[in-house]
Amino acid sequence: MSESAPVYRVLARKYRPQRFTELIGQDAMVQTLGNAIRRDRLAHAFLLTGVRGVGKTSTARLIAKALNCIGPDGTGGPTIDPCGVCEPCVAIAEGRHIDVVEMDAASHTGVDDVREIIEAVRYSAVSARYKVYIVDEVHMLTKNAFNALLKTLEEPPAHVKFLFATTEVNKVPVTVLSRCQRFDLRRIPAESLAAHFQRVVDAEGVTVEEEALALIARAAEGSARDGLSILDQAIAHGAADGGVTADQVRDMLGLSDRGAIRRLFGQLLAGDVPAVLGSVAHQHALGVEPAALLKGLLETVHGVTRAKVGGADDLALSAEEREAFGDWASRMGFATLHRLWQLLLKGHAEVQTAVLPREAAEMALLRVVHASQLPDPQDLARRIRAGELGSAEAPAAPAPAPEEQRPMLAEPVLPRLPQSPQALYDHLIEKKAHRLASCFEGARMIRFQPPEMVIAAGQGIGPGFGKELQDCLNPRIGELGERWTISVQDGIGRPSLLDEAKAHESAARDALLATPVVAAAFAAFPDAELIGYAPEDRGDDPRSMSR
């Protein structure tokens, strides 16, 4: 009877780390564990947290090996570099060691499952140095299960070690966290993943383009397991001779050609609407998801911004991308880049929740085209201040009545009475009567016929104000000049100087908002606000002559 063919093992399992040196991207954790083992300062419980595929379960098994390794000659002790050939190492690697118990908390969530562990920890290890419990996805345990484990977790027997792994550490009770030594496993950098994948394909005897490996590493988002799964799929998707190209990986993942993304980005900046819509239609026909299209544009804006600030080059970028990013960075300001980022980010969120994703993507890109044709707000403000841009004239406040022509008198010349409330206000300012001027500014006139004045009573305006104002304006005894008669009565009166000034300011502000440039800016940024605006002093501003 012929032997059966060996069962194929996927790359993610075949290349699972068997030594700490094979654990990529976690150097800080390995150093800490190594020092703890060498100094015999091992904690009784470890919590390993991080995103999927960064090596949490693999690290737990490596720790179990390190604690129970006896060396090739059977006389070794705990070591950060387990031999991998002794019986404990082999049995743990194959998942059959009786003293290393792995439990999936996603399917064993209750108190009864934890009670089995609590009862078993009382007994010594059968053949290993330590009895090790590896609990994967520990955050799935119920509250009662966690509570049942607390006492044992705090004071376990000396021969027991707990290793917990979770992707959602925020769901683990703080009472458990305080009893564990925590290790946060980092996302694996794309450069390290690409180098790791290169070693894998070399071992597999497969030819894969360097750009294809970079695309897979980027799509893995820091997860070695995800990347190896994608690589496995790419090898199966590749040509019959085993070669894998970048174009094949793009087709497999539904990624847009990065060259097409750069062309679309250039069309957005140029404001070429037909070309933008044509590019979106072409990418849609190729099967590229609208969200992926927006994500590619976001990556482009990020790449241009990094190039502008002089950040380190992304090794996953091609030479053409680096050159294009550098060129755009030299011609675009930070304000424009930040504005593009916000618009595209908002568009990406809309596309992900839209009933019509393609249409939502087109509308988002049209919004970007419209914004790209607007001047930079700071530059716009500078040009307005410099008078380079014209603006609609604000409606002027009603002009004061023309002063009556008084006949020329022979000497001595009598002082002229102020012929308007504004002129009277200015006269008070000249006399340094600022308190009276402030009150008069808010006063409403029932009748103003110099030298007679009737003021409407109101807040701060009483009979005493009329007398005080009259004493301030009238000439002293013996001096020439007409004498004012000022009274305060109940009534409505005409708008005060302060009311007219506010109306003038509001009209000027509305006129500014109505100018084409500002109106276009608010259309592009609906949530924008005009703040800190103050109209320039004008001759028709009731308060401009005195301030």
Side-chain angles (χ1 to χ4, degrees), residues 264 267-268 270-280 362 365-366 369-370 373:
L264 176 58
Q267 293 162 358
L268 288 173
D272 192 344
V273 174
V276 169
L277 296 179
S279 295
V280 174
E362 290 180 347
L365 295 181
L366 289 177
V369 169
H370 183 68
Q373 298 173 345

Side-chain angles (χ1 to χ4, degrees), residues 18 29 43 64 87 115 158 270 313 386 419 423 448 476 493 536 541:
Q18 299 300 319
M29 183 200 65
E87 175 58 25
R115 186 177 294 117
D313 290 336
Q419 298 300 304
F448 188 86
R476 291 177 298 206
E536 296 180 359
D541 186 341

Side-chain angles (χ1 to χ4, degrees), residues 201-226:
V201 297
D202 290 343
E204 291 290 310
V206 180
T207 302
V208 182
E209 290 184 358
E210 183 177 354
E211 186 178 355
L213 291 177
L215 288 172
I216 294 173
R218 187 188 296 272
E221 296 182 344
S223 170
R225 183 175 63 237
D226 286 9

